[in-house]
Amino acid sequence: MLRLLKINNLALVEDLVWEVGSGLIGVTGETGAGKSVIVGALKLIVGERASQNLIRTGCNSCSIEAVFDLEQPEGVNAVLEAAGLASCENNQLVIRRVIDTSAGNKQFVNCSPVTLSILKKIGELLVDLHGPHDHQSLLCRERQLDLLDAYANAETEAAQCADAYRQLNSLQIQYDELANSERANEQELDLLNHQIAEIESAELVIGEEDKLEQSYKVAANSSHLMQTAGHIIGALGESDHSIISNLSAITKMIRDLEKNDPSTASFTESFDQALIELEELESNMREYAGNLEIDAAEIEALKDRINLIESLKRKYGNNIHAILDFKNKAATRRKRIEGRGEELETLTTKITVANQEFCSTARKLTLKRKRAAPKLAKSISNHLEELGFKKAHFEVTLEKLEQPAKLGNENIEFMLSPNPGEPAKPLRTIASSGEMSRIMLAIKSTLASQDAVPLLVFDEIDANVGGEIAQAVGGKMASLGNHHQVIAITHLPQVASRANCHYFVNKEFGSDGRTYSLLRKIENNDRIAEIARMLGGNTNSARKHAESLLDIAA
């Protein structure tokens, strides 16, 4: 239930702290006193878009805060958890809206900022608002099915049916996409086969690029390398004045030096070692030159191999590793396409199973609906009769769908024949707003024990109603108060007298020249005076009538 409502600088309300009671709560006052501000605040709490025009003149911001005690918090917690927010602590929910001229509009749930869409989802679970022209939900076939399912205790079957339909629809979409893409898949398969064959025919080896580049560089420069090697060999030993020949002359001098001075023996060893290394260098260079061959075919083959790899790199990746990775992925994709027939068969099997599940659940739902529909119609008709539709006939018709949908195998239509001899017609085509108010009240009365929304708000839905019917409306609202918290903003004394708590809204003019809308709880003589005013004036007869209404209510 709504435990507390705080309003600050909203329209004519400067500062209101309202501790809301249980049962039927009546809110009365003169036209224009500010009763609509309460409804406006509640609409903001449940996610209606806010306008800065709502801010009290002279102020920069306004705020509304509502505290709810939740007897069954599971639904609200599910919405919070889906949005990544913490569940309610101690089954208490706090909603706050702030409208600011500079900072914009913000909304908070349990101190965490939320979007309007999340707030609306939460609001739908908490508050059901009904104004004199706010009955569109009753005219919606989907909403009518929800009401029938609630009356039939078939919410579980309805949810299972919707889930089964979504599963079936999802599988059918997958099947259609796979089946309809056959031509595109054939074209893709041709491309994949070409790509895989092209890569496989290259017989790529990871690391071969560097070796190829080096081999090509040597082969392409073999003529220059042979010439350079020949110069080195000549300089080392072949020419008359080669290095090794000149060193041979030095050998005699080194030996003579050692012969006359033994201490120079180390020089001889160093010289001999250097001569051996130079002779070895000459030998290696001759062998290197001998291995160099100018083979134009080999050079061309190396060049072609390098060009092939570069071409594959441009198509499939920056290196051989990336090219081979592309081939592996292409092979996986090809296998999946080639296995399309198997996948279609698998999907066909899954669709058959899902369709059986849907049909089974839908049949159970249909059975419950057919059993409950005439009972619901009869109960609503009885309530309508008490609300002044003496000769009206209410029907709940079920129409079999050509194609089953997520709501089941049938659609629904609430039908009404307000006058004897007239055929029943869809409610959405014939009912006036005044009639819709009472029809809605009859439906709410019928479904009072099944309706999970804890707070019902009726904003002057009793307009154009009086006398015996007004008394019946008051009785129905009081009865709803046994199952819900009901806030009734009303001009009917018959409704106000049945309230468990009665609040009076009036306007006062302050010394600052401003207008203030105030809400206060009235009891005893104040309540008698207010009901007497609603009856036509604070006369003795009106007061006695007011006392009589309160006695009847008691």
Side-chain angles (χ1 to χ4, degrees), residues 209-405:
E209 289 176 276
D210 292 338
K211 293 179 181 178
L212 282 171
E213 291 288 348
Q214 183 60 32
S215 297
Y216 179 74
K217 186 177 181 181
V218 171
N221 293 282
S222 58
S223 178
H224 173 70
L225 293 174
M226 290 179 66
Q227 185 178 12
T228 302
H231 288 317
I232 294 172
I233 293 169
L236 284 173
E238 285 190 349
S239 64
D240 293 337
H241 302 288
S242 67
I243 294 173
I244 294 176
S245 297
N246 291 332
L247 287 177
S248 297
I250 296 174
T251 301
K252 296 177 181 180
M253 291 184 281
I254 289 291
R255 303 287 185 212
D256 183 63
L257 188 64
E258 180 184 359
K259 182 179 179 180
N260 293 292
D261 184 0
S263 64
T264 62
S266 60
F267 299 160
T268 303
E269 291 177 4
S270 298
F271 179 81
D272 288 344
Q273 185 63 37
L275 183 59
I276 290 171
E277 290 182 359
L278 286 172
E279 289 173 344
E280 185 176 351
L281 174 62
E282 180 192 16
S283 176
N284 291 338
M285 193 60 64
R286 288 180 185 279
E287 183 179 0
Y288 171 75
N291 291 332
L292 285 173
E293 295 181 3
I294 302 177
D295 189 339
E298 180 184 356
I299 294 174
E300 192 63 29
L302 287 170
K303 184 178 179 181
D304 290 344
R305 181 67 176 174
I306 291 171
N307 289 338
L308 172 62
I309 293 175
E310 288 299 318
S311 174
L312 294 176
K313 284 164 67 175
R314 285 192 297 271
K315 294 179 181 179
Y316 308 119
N318 295 326
N319 50 55
I320 289 179
H321 181 81
I323 295 170
L324 294 176
D325 185 54
F326 181 94
K327 185 204 76 170
N328 292 334
K329 290 180 179 178
T332 300
R333 174 63 179 164
R334 179 176 66 180
K335 184 177 180 180
R336 182 179 178 186
I337 294 175
E338 289 175 341
R340 183 179 62 252
E342 295 179 3
E343 190 171 350
L344 285 171
E345 289 180 6
T346 300
L347 283 172
T348 300
T349 302
K350 289 182 177 180
I351 288 171
T352 301
V353 173
N355 186 59
Q356 291 172 348
E357 177 66 23
F358 170 76
C359 291
S360 175
T361 306
R363 280 195 298 269
K364 294 177 183 177
L365 181 60
T366 296
L367 184 60
K368 279 198 168 186
R369 285 172 173 172
K370 286 183 175 179
R371 288 174 178 173
K375 296 178 182 178
L376 175 62
K378 183 177 179 181
S379 179
I380 293 174
S381 293
N382 291 338
H383 285 289
L384 286 174
E385 184 177 353
E386 294 172 5
L387 290 170
F389 290 87
K390 297 298 183 181
K391 301 296 182 179
H393 177 64
F394 191 89
E395 295 179 11
V396 177
T397 63
L398 295 174
E399 305 167 359
K400 184 175 177 61
L401 295 171
E402 292 184 6
Q403 292 293 331

Side-chain angles (χ1 to χ4, degrees), residues 483-504:
H483 300 275
H484 301 269
Q485 185 184 31
V486 180
I487 297 176
I489 297 171
T490 181
H491 288 289
L492 283 181
Q494 293 90 341
V495 173
S497 64
R498 300 298 295 266
N500 299 95
C501 299
H502 190 164
Y503 291 87
F504 176 68

